[in-house]
Amino acid sequence: MKTANQDIRAILQVLKRTLRARGLVYADLALELNISEVTVKRLFSGVTISMNHLIAICDFLQISFLEVAMMARELEHSEYVLSKEQDKFFAVHVRSYALFIDLYR
């Protein structure tokens, strides 16, 4: 049975990929959230992160938390590895990712 920590790690993995795919770094996020870069690194380590921080990161990336959660769930069940170009495309076109997953199944 999956734990909540495993779910959070999968969500953070999707957020990290989205951040990278959009050419952003932790320093950009730190500036936006008005926190230190060290704090951002700590948040992404998955040790402890609040729902408020998750939502703030999603807002910064202009992606809904529900979309991130769906992507995290699919990521765990997927054996297909996206190329760098595909990863960038889906980070910008999140709804296309949902269609891709449906077609992939």
Side-chain angles (χ1 to χ4, degrees):
M1 178 168 221
K2 282 183 47 175
T3 66
N5 282 341
Q6 290 171 317
D7 290 337
I8 294 297
R9 282 191 198 106
I11 287 168
L12 290 172
Q13 184 178 5
V14 168
L15 291 172
K16 284 181 203 176
R17 284 183 173 187
T18 303
L19 193 70
R20 279 194 308 260
R22 294 189 180 172
L24 300 167
V25 294
Y26 287 159
D28 299 320
L29 184 57
L31 185 63
E32 176 69 21
L33 299 181
N34 199 29
I35 58 178
S36 71
E37 189 173 346
V38 171
T39 300
V40 171
K41 289 178 184 178
R42 195 172 302 127
L43 292 175
F44 277 98
S45 74
V47 174
T48 177
I49 186 167
S50 70
M51 194 65 180
N52 287 338
H53 278 124
L54 285 173
I55 298 301
I57 294 167
C58 289
D59 287 346
F60 174 68
L61 296 172
Q62 298 178 336
I63 186 171
S64 81
F65 179 76
L66 291 177
E67 289 173 315
V68 171
M70 281 179 24
M71 291 168 69
R73 183 172 185 212
E74 294 301 328
L75 182 65
E76 293 175 345
H77 299 293
S78 175
E79 294 178 20
Y80 182 83
V81 177
L82 297 176
S83 70
K84 191 173 186 176
E85 292 78 22
Q86 290 169 325
D87 201 31
K88 285 181 182 181
F89 175 83
F90 287 133
V92 175
H93 303 93
V94 177
R95 286 181 178 83
S96 295
Y97 181 76
L99 175 62
F100 168 76
I101 291 301
D102 285 342
L103 292 172
Y104 179 70
R105 284 187 196 149

